[in-house]
């Protein structure tokens, strides 16, 4: 895999105009199972093809000048899937880190993992740590991997961490502001997602980035994740470019 260093703004074919990219795009990579089932293949084949899509998306995000992409690769609820599928997904993560880490590092990609590491097999937790440590000082695309992630648990973890600081006298209750709370989340220091893309036609957040999505734009696409290609990504970026974000205020025109 190679993540191209040349960062060109996306020119929308429809309008012939330059589209300002979102700074942070988050992906709910849904539909691997349905993609495989529709082809008479085992669900795991869908995940394998999904990894290929992920590689293309990372490369394309770099080309489009996006700073951060977050991918929902394993939710804290995914443990309830059949054991064979869970262990396939664990193996896929292992292969992704082992095979792609050096190329991602060469392409100046910085990897950050969000989610709980507590219930992970020590070998996997160590690999995730290695990916973060190796790429910590990189300055290109930030790749945030949500693994064993659930937003409600993340929020509870942040609340506990802040409560602990108040208990130890490090903070006063009145110091718990939105900024302090954001900083205590797994995503502390990262910008909130501007755009959240979910493939496969489902229109829900599924416990993904609940706090951070307060002002995100949503884009739902009918394609299953393995079919999500560069053209589909560009379509989402063009759609985002046409949205008006008001953050609860009014358009300048309306004032
Ligand atoms: C949702 O599709 C997808 C997942 C639970 C896993 C996503 C994993 C990848 C795209 C591969 C890359 C993975 C890693 C670990 C880097 P689904 O299985 O829920 O599909 P369905 O809704 O059609 O059943």
């Amino acid at each position: 895999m190679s993540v191209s260093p040349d960062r060109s703004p996306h020119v929308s074919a429809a309008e012939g105009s330059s589209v300002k990219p979102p700074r942070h795009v988050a992906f709910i990579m849904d539909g691997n199972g349905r993609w495989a089932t529709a082809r008479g293949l085992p669900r795991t084949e869908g995940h394998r093809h999904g990894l290929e899509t992920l590689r293309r998306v990372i490369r394309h995000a770099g080309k489009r000048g996006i700073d951060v992409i977050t991918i929902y690769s394993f939710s804290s609820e995914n443990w309830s899937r059949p054991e064979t599928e869970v262990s396939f997904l664990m193996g896929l993560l292992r292969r992704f880190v082992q095979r792609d880490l050096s190329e991602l590092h060469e392409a100046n990609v910085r990897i950050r993992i969000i989610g709980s590491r507590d219930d992970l097999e020590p070998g996997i937790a160590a690999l995730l740590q290695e990916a973060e440590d190796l790429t910590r000082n990189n300055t290109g695309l930030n790749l945030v991997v949500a693994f064993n992630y659930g937003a409600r648990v993340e929020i509870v973890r942040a609340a506990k961490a802040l409560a602990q600081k108040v208990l130890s006298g490090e903070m006063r209750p009145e110091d718990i502001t939105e900024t302090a709370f954001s900083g205590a989340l797994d995503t502390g220091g990262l910008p909130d997602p501007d755009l959240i893309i979910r493939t496969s036609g489902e229109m829900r957040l599924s416990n993904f980035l609940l706090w951070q999505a307060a002002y995100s734009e949503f884009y739902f696409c009918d394609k299953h994740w393995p079919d999500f290609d560069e053209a589909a990504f560009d379509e989402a970026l063009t759609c985002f470019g046409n949205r008006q974000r008001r953050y609860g205020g009014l358009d300048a025109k309306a004032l």
Side-chain angles (χ1 to χ4, degrees):
M1 200 208 81
S2 68
V3 178
S4 166
D6 74 311
R7 296 184 153 219
S8 52
H10 163 47
V11 176
S12 153
E15 299 146 36
S17 64
S18 228
V19 176
K20 191 172 179 289
R23 187 169 174 210
H24 181 175
V25 183
F27 293 93
I28 303 178
M29 311 182 288
D30 197 12
N32 291 345
R34 275 166 283 170
W35 182 92
T37 306
R39 286 162 179 75
L41 299 168
R43 290 175 55 81
T44 47
E45 274 304 291
H47 297 314
R48 213 169 53 75
H49 280 82
L51 180 56
E52 289 305 320
T53 299
L54 174 60
R55 292 180 169 122
R56 286 201 304 270
V57 161
I58 294 171
R59 197 162 45 227
H60 201 59
K63 281 190 188 160
R64 290 290 178 250
I66 292 162
D67 279 342
V68 186
I69 66 168
T70 298
I71 54 161
Y72 203 6
S73 57
F74 191 86
S75 79
S76 36
E77 287 76 33
N78 285 153
W79 293 106
S80 63
R81 294 191 175 202
E83 203 270 327
T84 45
E85 186 167 338
V86 169
S87 67
F88 185 87
L89 284 167
M90 295 293 150
L92 208 57
L93 177 76
R94 191 179 283 123
R95 279 205 298 281
F96 175 56
V97 176
Q98 284 168 342
R99 286 193 196 159
D100 293 11
L101 182 57
S102 57
E103 273 192 63
L104 289 167
H105 181 44
E106 262 171 47
N108 201 20
V109 173
R110 181 177 178 180
I111 298 174
R112 174 135 163 207
I113 316 293
I114 59 170
S116 168
R117 313 233 182 142
D118 293 347
D119 331 312
L120 295 180
E121 188 200 297
I124 299 243
L127 264 182
L128 296 180
Q129 194 59 49
E130 183 193 333
E132 280 191 328
D133 291 345
L134 180 70
T135 62
R136 189 171 305 281
N137 297 318
N138 289 347
T139 54
L141 178 78
N142 287 280
L143 170 63
V144 182
V145 181
F147 197 81
N148 194 21
Y149 175 86
R152 287 185 171 182
V153 177
E154 177 196 31
I155 290 170
V156 168
R157 222 177 12 245
K160 278 187 188 157
L162 293 172
Q164 201 60 51
K165 285 190 177 174
V166 170
L167 209 59
S168 69
E170 215 180 305
M171 268 181 116
R172 294 165 306 163
E174 55 270 35
D175 296 330
I176 302 181
T177 58
E178 287 188 25
T179 309
F181 204 94
S182 291
L185 293 168
D186 295 0
T187 49
L190 291 166
D192 286 342
D194 300 294
L195 174 64
I196 298 181
I197 298 177
R198 181 171 189 150
T199 54
S200 213
E202 310 291 352
M203 297 186 192
R204 54 178 172 262
L205 263 182
S206 301
N207 204 14
F208 186 47
L209 303 178
L210 296 183
W211 170 282
Q212 300 86 338
Y215 286 103
S216 302
E217 296 292 327
F218 292 89
Y219 183 85
F220 300 103
C221 162
D222 283 338
K223 281 182 190 289
H224 296 314
W225 177 253
D227 288 331
F228 187 80
D229 55 12
E230 289 83 350
F233 195 170
D234 280 343
E235 222 171 281
L237 295 177
T238 301
C239 180
F240 173 81
N242 291 328
R243 301 266 177 99
Q244 300 211 331
R245 303 181 79 193
R246 291 190 290 275
Y247 301 96
L250 293 177
D251 274 346
K253 282 199 293 270
L255 292 171

